[in-house]
């Protein structure tokens, strides 16, 4: 008997007298019931509670808003698929580090030396204040949203759902999903909040309507 067969035989023996697995109830909420304006208000409230900066602007104001948030950054990284119109104001191209595509990928050291990152987003859950990235070209690989100290994330109002089941239906579960609920934070044994341990200490969210 091979090792594989031995293991499977042991599993079958252990399960022989096990009770049948009960059917899992699926009666949870699958769809939200609030108007989009109310959903955005809930999202803003949750994000601010998490100590994220939030700005709600018209689509045309996204570039100027990004510019203002990057005012103090010496350098910043953008994924290869970020909308170039969002950075149309930038004249000092030495400030911009591109990651992916023909530019190649930046090293961890290079990312750590970068002040900020600008990304898009896949879908956002208002009820939990959770932004989900799925590695699409406008979001880039996970590392660029976790290493720089300041993350500026653009969320389109059309991509905001009220509850999680709505959001999950829009996602491809085989893609690398990163879920963000506010800036990186944890608490020590004294329950003292510490920010920036596992990711950016500052999160600014631009909601484009």
């Amino acid at each position: 008997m091979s090792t594989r067969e031995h293991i499977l035989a042991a599993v079958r023996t252990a399960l022989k007298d096990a009770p049948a697995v009960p059917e899992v109830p699926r009666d949870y909420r699958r769809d939200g019931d609030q108007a989009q304006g109310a959903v955005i208000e809930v999202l803003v409230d949750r994000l601010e509670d998490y100590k994220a900066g939030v700005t709600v602007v018209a689509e045309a104001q996204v570039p100027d808003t990004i510019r203002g948030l990057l005012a103090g950054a010496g350098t910043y990284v953008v994924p290869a698929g970020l909308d170039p119109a969002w950075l149309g104001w930038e004249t000092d191209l030495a400030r911009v580090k591109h990651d992916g595509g023909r530019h190649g990928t930046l090293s961890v050291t290079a990312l750590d030396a970068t002040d900020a990152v600008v990304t898009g987003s896949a879908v956002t859950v208002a009820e939990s204040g959770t932004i989900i990235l799925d590695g699409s070209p406008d979001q880039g690989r996970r590392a660029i949203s976790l290493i720089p100290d300041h993350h500026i994330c653009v969320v389109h109002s059309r991509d905001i759902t009220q509850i999680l089941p709505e959001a999950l239906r829009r996602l491809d579960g085989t893609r690398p999903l990163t879920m963000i609920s506010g800036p990186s934070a944890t608490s020590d044994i004294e329950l003292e909040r510490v920010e920036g341990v596992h990711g950016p200490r500052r999160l600014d969210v631009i909601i484009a309507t």
Side-chain angles (χ1 to χ4, degrees):
M1 180 181 290
S2 67
T3 302
R4 178 178 182 275
E5 291 169 336
H6 179 77
I7 292 172
L8 290 176
V11 170
R12 293 188 188 99
T13 300
L15 294 176
K16 183 173 59 175
D17 299 322
V21 177
E23 185 176 346
V24 178
R26 305 289 181 183
D27 54 354
Y28 51 79
R29 287 188 302 160
R30 296 172 181 265
D31 297 285
D33 55 6
Q34 293 183 318
Q36 189 66 4
V39 170
I40 292 175
E41 288 181 8
V42 171
L43 175 61
V44 171
D45 177 73
R46 298 296 189 275
L47 290 171
E48 290 179 342
D49 189 52
Y50 292 148
K51 298 187 177 182
V54 188
T55 309
V56 182
V57 299
E59 182 84 28
Q61 295 176 296
V62 169
D64 285 340
T65 306
I66 293 174
R67 182 179 186 177
L69 292 171
L70 286 172
T75 58
Y76 60 93
V77 60
V78 297
L82 193 76
D83 186 346
W86 290 354
L87 304 177
W89 48 269
E90 183 62 84
T91 56
D92 184 5
L93 298 182
R95 293 180 68 202
V96 189
K97 298 181 180 181
H98 293 84
D99 186 81
R102 63 186 178 85
H103 305 281
T105 57
L106 297 169
S107 67
V108 172
T109 302
L111 289 173
D112 192 42
T114 304
D115 297 317
V117 57
V118 182
T119 73
S121 57
V123 65
T124 297
V125 184
E127 199 168 76
S128 61
T130 303
I131 300 167
I132 304 175
L133 312 183
D134 67 359
S136 292
D138 66 331
Q139 298 150 53
R141 59 196 175 104
R142 180 175 287 134
I144 69 170
S145 65
L146 295 180
I147 297 177
D149 205 44
H150 181 195
H151 184 188
I152 299 170
C153 186
V154 179
V155 172
H156 290 284
S157 59
R158 63 178 177 270
D159 296 327
I160 301 173
T161 67
Q162 181 182 339
I163 59 178
L164 182 60
E166 293 176 292
L168 293 179
R169 291 200 296 269
R170 300 189 185 194
L171 295 167
D172 178 355
T174 65
R175 297 187 64 82
L177 302 180
T178 303
M179 299 187 182
I180 302 167
S181 295
S184 168
T186 189
S187 293
D188 62 16
I189 196 170
E190 303 271 336
L191 299 183
E192 292 290 333
R193 181 182 172 93
V194 180
E195 298 178 354
V197 177
H198 309 296
R201 277 179 286 194
R202 181 180 172 193
L203 172 66
D204 279 298
V205 181
I206 302 171
I207 300 176
T209 60

